[in-house]
Amino acid sequence: NGGTFSGGSNLYTDSVDVGEYSYTSAPSNAVSRSGYELVGWATDSSATTAGWGTNDSIGPLSGNISVYAVWRKSRFTITVNANGGIFQDTRESYVQSQADAGSLFYFTSYSGRVYREGYTLLGWSVSSTATSPGVATNGYITVGYSDATYYAVWQKSTAVITFYGNGGLWGGNLQKRSVTFNVGDIVNFHGGTHYYSS
């Protein structure tokens, strides 16, 4: 069923007397499939759930029976999406296609290579619209049994403009006044409009 037994065959035959049992441990230990792990055995070649585990008995047998390996994918595609930003090499996403289930996938190197003008990277999330990350910029995940995409979570960068009275005072005793803006905001002064970009 997509796998191969020791010796290169795709079939394994066990001969037992009628009324006796056949055990799945021997074929389970002999079969493999690249990128998959064996879940068990079933009478349907398209089954996703095993009728027998990898160390079960089948029987007592009343006649010939064919069973098929049930496989579960063990390597998955993890996609890291810049989500409005861009990576240093101008890519919008990275694909790590050889992530083994149960292994650790680290985001540190991706966090260091992604950029979005006027924004600060907060971390990563499975939702493209998240405002708070599920994984920190230097965090990691344990790869599960499905493909996954993680999106960059951005927050507008802020900048502080400090106004000095230069001899004048605010509120009677303040010599300066600081105001925080988002980078890219339009800052209006009574004497005109200025665009603050950095």
Side-chain angles (χ1 to χ4, degrees), residues 43 52 58 61 63-67:
T43 55
W52 299 276
I58 301 175
L61 295 175
N64 294 338
I65 183 174
S66 294
V67 294

Side-chain angles (χ1 to χ4, degrees), residues 161 163 181 184-197:
I161 298 181
F163 298 90
F181 298 94
D185 280 356
I186 301 296
V187 181
N188 294 305
F189 298 100
H190 289 299
T193 300
H194 300 269
Y195 182 75
Y196 188 79
S197 61

Side-chain angles (χ1 to χ4, degrees), residues 90-126:
T90 71
R91 276 193 270 187
E92 293 181 2
S93 63
Y94 273 88
V95 176
Q96 171 65 43
S97 59
Q98 295 297 316
D100 293 324
S103 66
L104 299 181
F105 182 87
Y106 293 89
F107 287 86
T108 304
S109 62
Y110 298 98
S111 298
R113 297 198 305 257
V114 70
Y115 171 77
R116 184 178 180 186
E117 185 174 2
Y119 288 80
T120 300
L121 179 67
L122 297 181
W124 304 89
S125 173
V126 292

